[in-house]
Structure formats: C-alpha cells, structure tokens
Amino acid sequence: MRKVYNFSPGPAMLPATVLERAREELRGWRSSGVSPMEMSHRGADFIGIAEKAEAGLRAALAVPTDYKILFLAGGATAQFGAAPMNLLRGKTKLAYVETGYWSRKAIEEAKLFADVDVAASSRDGGYATIPPRTSWRVDPAAAYLHYTANETIGGVEFHDTPQSDGLPLVADMSSNLLSRPIDVTRFGLIYASAQKNLGLAGLAVVIVRENLIGRPLPGTPSIFDYRRQADEGSMVNTPPTYAWYMAGLMLEWVAEQGGVEAIERRNIRKASRLYAAIDASSFYSNFIDPAVRSRMNAPFRLADASLDKTFLAAAAEAGLVSLEGHRSVGGMRASIYNAMPDEGVETLITFMRDFEKRWG
Ligand SMILES: Cc1ncc(COP(=O)(O)O)c(C=O)c1O
C-alpha cells in the first residue's frame, strides 16, 4: 500500500501502532476470544479496559482525585448543552469567549439554557486573534467562564490558560487535549471530543471538579447528568465501548511517547517548521496572529485561489490527503495532531515548495 499522510481535522489519523494493536485485538482480546467490540460493558473484561483508560487519562494530565472523569456519547456537541445543564447551579447567566466557529456553536447551544454574555470576541477581526485578557469583561454573576482552547477551523489556540476572575473555568479542548501539559486544577470543567487526539468520533471525555456537580437543571436527562454518570461509572446507558477501548490504546501510546511533555515538544517542532515554510514564501500565507497560531490546525491560502483545486489534486497524488480548508474559511488546512509524525510535516513542506516552483 502506498504511503499516505492524512491531514484530516477529525476524525483524524491514528498512530500506526495503535491501529495495528486494534487489528490484532479485534480477533480476540487477550484470552477472552471476543473482540472489544463484542463485550458486555458490564463484564469484567470491559470494566478492566474502561478503568485502564480512565487511569491513563488521569496519569497523562495529572488529574487530581477530586475531579471525575467521564466517557460520554454525543461528542463535544452534547457537552455544549451538558455544561450549562450541570454547571448553572441555580444561576441564570453564563460568560463565553468568542474566538471562532466552535466557540460560536457553544454559545448558541448555551443560549438554550441561560443568558449568555460574550465576555470578549474577535469576530470583528475575522477571528484572526484572541482579544487580550485585559480587555475581557467577565460578568461576576455568571455561573462559569467558557472558552475554546483550540479553534479547529480557524487555527487559533490559547497558549496559556486564561485567568477567570474567580469563576469556574470551562474549556472545550476537543482539538488540543493531550497535545501539551495542562494544570487541571485551574479548571472547573474540561471536555473534548475524541476524534482528534483520543481516537474515535462519537465519544467525549469530561473532566469535572466534583464539587460542581450534583445540582443539574431541572429536567436534565439522566444521560447528561454528570453526577449520575459519575456515580454509575459513565454507564447510565450502554457507553460507546469501542471508542472507549480505542481511547485507552491512544493513552497507552501517549505514555509510550514519553507523555504530554514529550508530545508537546514534538508538536512545537512540527508547527514551527510548517509555519516557517508558509511565512518564508509569498505564494502561501497564514492570516492568524502569530502569537496565537494553532499547533494542531494550520490554515493557509494560496496567493492565487484559482490554483486551489490543482494543489489539492497534486497533494493527494503525492499521498498528502484531506488538506482542504473548512468551507467557511476556504483555502487549505493542515491538521497535525499528536499522531502526525515529523516526516509527514516534512513531506508536506517539500511538496509545497515543489508546487510553488512549478506554479508560482
Ligand atoms: C473545538 C471543537 N469543539 C467541538 C467539536 C464538535 O465535536 P463533535 O462533532 O464530536 O460533537 C469539534 C469538532 O470538530 C471541535 O473541533
């Protein structure tokens, strides 16, 4: 089979060793004779798999014991609603920072439950930066402050955890969880869909401080109630067992790489190489404030947009796939999550230089 580097924003590429292991265990997990897909979620084998995945995440991010970890269906989008349902706790206001497509989505969903105050927004500047923290106006009456740690479509990333004026801090880390160390104690709630750095679509992980849960909005369905899910081991209903199993394999892989510190070093190297190549050329451009460029998703444009289709076709021919930008932004986007090796980024850079020589 020819070598392909997959730059998909998600579902994204998985490490070859993880896929290989999944392939082997599909024939039969250990001596059980059944694949992880076919196990009862309440059986001892799956409970072992589930506990190991949770322990892996706890170890990777040093999650303290007063935080619950949940593995839930519905992706991050379900958490756009679950966050207000669980964390409003009698209040009626929420504060959100708007930095792009995904924070906008989170805001729209939160509006179903509360008054949403936008504490800061970069919409007027086309979401090309993050408003300086000093300009944020955080309503002290809000139940929490929410931000999107990495805007997967816009390519904007917070490189520091913002200070929250004493409110519980809530972060959507769908596209940068496990890409760097974080101090979990700074957060009330972290949620992330799994299909970037944690495996398969359909699953979200939730890391929530225990003293924030147990007072859901009246009418909250039981599957969205963090307290019930915590008490029942994320098994209020049948969880997405195979995605949970794959998350466990991804977490073992993270540990084998040397943990999130080592992964961060590689991610910095890959992203700097790619942005340096884009900046060195007048044929390609990235339009994001360099201070907040994402290490995970690098959008870029060709000076002549009429060459976009030619670029994508030639890239695919060279084994570089899924480079098309999101329809709302256009141009290109290279998603370079944890699983993308240095060689993938180097191959892309070489291809871009060759393409420029030919068409520039
Ligand atoms: C930052 C961010 N938040 C939320 C989502 C939504 O995740 P899901 O489609 O799994 O619900 C995505 C999906 O790409 C995302 O990138």
Side-chain angles (χ1 to χ4, degrees):
M1 215 163 47
R2 77 187 181 119
K3 181 89 190 150
V4 165
Y5 291 109
N6 174 11
F7 294 89
S8 167
M13 73 168 287
L14 301 174
T17 52
V18 166
L19 287 175
E20 191 50 42
R21 172 104 179 265
R23 194 171 79 110
E24 270 164 32
E25 292 182 345
L26 201 58
R27 297 203 190 107
W29 187 79
R30 304 209 174 146
S31 59
S32 69
V34 298
S35 82
M37 263 182 203
E38 306 162 298
M39 290 174 179
S40 161
H41 59 298
R42 306 218 184 264
D45 284 341
F46 187 77
I47 295 290
I49 288 172
E51 285 174 351
K52 196 153 179 236
E54 177 179 337
L57 186 56
R58 216 172 261 289
L61 296 177
V63 180
T65 50
D66 59 330
Y67 284 74
K68 291 289 182 190
I69 296 181
L70 311 175
F71 289 81
L72 303 178
T77 304
Q79 301 313 313
F80 289 165
M85 282 191 259
N86 286 277
L87 266 53
L88 266 168
R89 299 182 304 138
K91 298 198 173 180
T92 56
K93 279 189 178 173
L94 298 170
Y96 276 63
V97 181
E98 185 191 12
T99 49
Y101 180 97
W102 287 112
S103 45
R104 189 70 236 156
K105 284 257 184 192
I107 289 168
E108 290 308 322
E109 199 73 1
K111 279 186 184 166
L112 298 173
F113 305 94
D115 288 339
V116 177
D117 195 50
V118 177
S121 174
S122 56
R123 195 210 286 232
D124 285 349
Y127 298 128
T129 190
I130 294 175
R133 179 63 187 85
T134 46
S135 70
W136 298 12
R137 294 160 59 95
V138 181
D139 187 340
Y144 59 75
L145 174 66
H146 178 285
Y147 77 106
T148 305
N150 183 64
E151 289 282 359
T152 320
I153 291 173
V156 164
E157 183 171 10
F158 281 78
H159 294 298
D160 296 299
T161 301
Q163 177 274 106
S164 64
D165 288 358
L167 297 184
L169 186 61
V170 175
D172 174 1
M173 293 197 187
S174 291
S175 46
N176 68 353
L177 190 79
L178 294 165
S179 70
R180 56 167 74 214
I182 46 167
D183 176 0
V184 173
T185 64
R186 299 276 309 275
F187 297 88
L189 165 68
I190 294 168
Y191 62 89
S193 52
Q195 67 271 25
K196 289 96 163 53
N197 281 331
L198 202 57
L200 305 189
L203 176 74
V205 291
V206 166
I207 303 173
V208 63
R209 201 167 66 227
E210 197 167 7
N211 65 2
L212 292 175
I213 62 177
R215 208 179 149 193
L217 204 64
T220 297
S222 50
I223 57 161
F224 292 127
D225 179 343
Y226 290 162
R227 180 79 258 168
R228 282 209 50 188
Q229 287 287 14
D231 289 347
E232 296 185 36
S234 305
M235 293 189 188
V236 168
N237 72 329
T238 315
T241 50
Y242 197 70
W244 194 333
Y245 155 80
M246 285 297 287
L249 295 193
M250 289 297 283
L251 285 155
E252 279 184 47
W253 178 84
V254 166
E256 283 158 19
Q257 303 307 299
V260 289
E261 288 82 6
I263 284 183
E264 178 184 43
R265 284 195 291 278
R266 187 158 73 205
N267 286 334
I268 292 174
R269 192 168 65 226
K270 288 185 303 186
S272 340
R273 290 276 306 151
L274 183 53
Y275 286 119
I278 292 169
D279 290 344
S281 137
S282 52
F283 188 78
Y284 302 105
S285 62
N286 167 278
F287 28 90
I288 303 302
D289 173 0
V292 297
R293 282 173 168 175
S294 167
R295 292 177 191 161
M296 299 283 98
N297 312 94
F300 61 94
R301 289 194 185 123
L302 273 56
D304 177 0
S306 71
L307 286 173
D308 283 4
K309 286 207 160 55
T310 313
F311 179 92
L312 288 166
E317 184 70 19
L320 305 165
V321 303
S322 293
L323 281 164
E324 191 166 6
H326 188 265
R327 59 189 181 281
S328 65
V329 177
M332 312 297 152
R333 170 176 43 165
S335 294
I336 49 173
Y337 299 114
N338 291 352
M340 176 60 67
D342 288 272
E343 309 83 76
V345 172
E346 295 305 325
T347 308
L348 173 62
I349 292 170
T350 306
F351 167 80
M352 287 167 69
R353 287 196 183 125
D354 291 347
F355 188 85
E356 179 176 355
K357 267 189 215 137
R358 188 149 166 232
W359 296 92

